[in-house]
Amino acid sequence: MHKSFRFYVQLGLTLLVCAFLIIPIILSMLAGITDNFFIGWSSGFTTRWIVQVWDTYQVTIWRSIAIALACLVVTTLVGVPLAYMLARHKGGNSRLARAIEELLMMPVAVPGLATALALIMAYGQYREFRSSLLFILVGHVMFTLPFMVRPVLAVMQSAQLPVLEEAAASLGAGPLQRFFGIVIPNVFSGILAGALMVVTLSIGEFNITWMLHTPLTMTLPVGLADSYASMRLEVGSAYTLIFFLMIIPLLIAMQWVTHTTRSRVRL
């Protein structure tokens, strides 16, 4: 009886915390389809704010998707071989491996504004580069690379890759054959988990992008801030609604992949 009461108390507290976090998001999304938020829902519901956002900021949405996909390609091409190197270098326990891991985490630990300022100080004098999407892409790659390396490295360290590679080598497989035929298939779940994190973080990244963008390279989160600052609340809320419709499926997929990966590791 005591255990049952404690369970319901914990459940109630959990639901209260979830409600505290979710209700403001729901209200913000509902404001995006309300005709006049200051009057309330009695003013009726409409999709004209969503249409206005799409007409005004459509380019920022496609730009964010393009940057996120480019960031995914770069972090995959760089992060997977880097994780492989860390896993093979004495199981990732050497000083060099630990130093590289610490360096990878620096852009995450350092505030995004500081990272962006460092990039501007280092490369801001190159005008064509400074005003291009590549400049933002560099910042996003620096920020998201650890989120590709860490999941892949974790799977590599738990997949007994040295044993599998040794068996493949004894059958005459070369380094490239072992990497693409043994390593990649066995760590695919880690790569997929890292890919979802990279895309999600890149689409929603604001601090670095806000410092690095120009009026011609505005992305979705920067456009969201701009819509709240310069237009009606309903427009900004409609932009938020579009943002969540893009992000929520990725978050659900990320949770599913993480759960599947953990289940396979336990087995």
Side-chain angles (χ1 to χ4, degrees), residues 57-254:
Y57 292 102
Q58 178 184 166
V59 65
T60 68
I61 297 172
W62 295 119
R63 189 177 292 136
S64 287
I65 293 175
I67 292 175
L69 293 178
C71 185
L72 172 60
V73 172
V74 176
T75 52
T76 302
L77 293 177
V78 176
V80 175
L82 182 56
Y84 181 62
M85 182 198 72
L86 292 174
R88 292 199 61 181
H89 200 71
K90 296 182 180 180
N93 294 320
S94 70
R95 292 182 179 179
L96 178 61
R98 288 197 299 269
I100 293 175
E101 283 193 74
E102 292 297 328
L103 289 174
L104 282 174
M105 293 304 297
M106 283 187 64
V108 179
V110 175
L113 295 178
T115 301
L117 181 60
L119 287 173
I120 293 173
M121 292 175 62
Y123 307 112
Q125 66 271 25
Y126 304 105
R127 293 186 178 180
E128 292 185 359
F129 180 49
R130 172 69 180 88
S131 60
S132 69
L133 290 177
L134 289 176
F135 200 47
I136 297 176
L137 177 61
V138 170
H140 282 214
V141 169
M142 289 179 61
F143 176 67
T144 59
L145 184 59
F147 297 95
M148 174 61 74
V149 174
R150 283 300 180 91
V152 175
L153 181 59
V155 175
M156 284 182 176
Q157 290 176 333
S158 63
Q160 301 297 324
L161 286 181
V163 177
L164 297 174
E165 286 191 271
E166 185 178 349
S170 66
L171 296 174
L176 289 179
Q177 287 178 308
R178 296 197 299 270
F179 182 76
F180 289 103
I182 301 296
V183 176
I184 296 299
N186 279 277
V187 301
F188 184 74
S189 58
I191 295 173
L192 184 57
L196 290 169
M197 292 180 68
V198 166
V199 172
T200 302
L201 291 171
S202 178
I203 290 178
E205 213 304 306
F206 174 77
N207 291 329
I208 294 177
T209 312
W210 183 76
M211 283 286 289
L212 299 182
H213 89 284
T214 66
L216 297 178
T217 58
M218 183 183 296
T219 62
L220 191 153
V222 178
L224 177 60
D226 179 74
S227 67
Y228 272 110
S230 59
M231 295 188 179
R232 291 185 56 156
L233 178 64
E234 294 88 351
V235 175
S237 297
Y239 207 142
T240 302
L241 177 59
I242 293 175
F243 179 79
F244 275 108
L245 290 176
M246 293 175 58
I247 291 295
I248 288 176
L250 292 174
L251 293 176
I252 294 174
M254 187 168 64

Side-chain angles (χ1 to χ4, degrees), residues 12-27:
L13 290 175
T14 302
L15 293 176
L16 284 175
V17 172
C18 291
F20 180 78
L21 296 174
I22 294 174
I23 288 176
I25 297 174
I26 295 176
L27 290 176

